[in-house]
Amino acid sequence: MLGVLVASFLLALIFTVLLNRASDRVLWQSCQPESVNYGSYNCLFVGEGNLDWSRFPYTLKRRYYFVLGLTPTHGHYKEYSFTPISIVEDIETYIKKSQVEWTAQGLTFIEESGHRFFFPKKYLGASR
């Protein structure tokens, strides 16, 4: 009996870890134009993170994040919540319709819905 309980617990633990694991898949990226210089913060990546269990069992959705840096794994990281997916089509298609404005003041990510997220350049340590 104890063996069945331990095996069930281990199986549940493994299942939970595998389900919650971040895919870290890059869904979209934009790199700086030649007109601005952000130093090593030269590309903005949108990545797919782990599952958001906060509203389980009613919904179980993925978390998303931005990385501003040289690679999708190293740079300035910010978790981001996109417009509710119930309003838009498939999230990956929706994200690919986004735009980025690179200016001397900072970078602005603009969703198709009009929502904006701003990264001020002066806090990135980028050259001026």
Side-chain angles (χ1 to χ4, degrees), residues 2 64 69-70 84 87-88 93 97 113 116 121 128:
L2 182 60
Y64 299 93
L70 288 172
I87 297 172
V88 299
T93 301
K97 293 179 182 177
S113 67
R116 295 169 176 259
K121 183 180 177 185
R128 296 178 193 256

Side-chain angles (χ1 to χ4, degrees), residues 13-71:
L13 182 64
I14 290 169
F15 186 66
T16 302
V17 168
L18 289 177
L19 271 180
N20 196 43
R21 189 164 182 235
S23 75
D24 289 329
R25 187 168 57 107
V26 174
L27 302 176
W28 184 86
Q29 78 178 57
S30 172
C31 293
Q32 70 186 5
E34 291 182 17
S35 60
V36 295
N37 180 7
Y38 281 51
S40 61
Y41 296 96
N42 64 339
C43 290
L44 177 69
F45 302 93
V46 176
E48 183 178 63
N50 62 348
L51 291 172
D52 181 2
W53 291 86
S54 64
R55 297 185 186 206
F56 181 79
Y58 304 107
T59 183
L60 189 60
K61 297 180 181 178
R62 287 263 173 208
R63 295 175 190 246
Y64 299 93
Y65 59 86
F66 294 126
V67 176
L68 186 55
L70 288 172
T71 70

Side-chain angles (χ1 to χ4, degrees), residues 9 71 77-78 98-99 101-102 124 127:
F9 175 76
T71 70
Y77 172 94
K78 287 288 184 184
S98 300
Q99 299 176 4
E101 292 177 354
W102 298 81
L124 296 174
S127 58

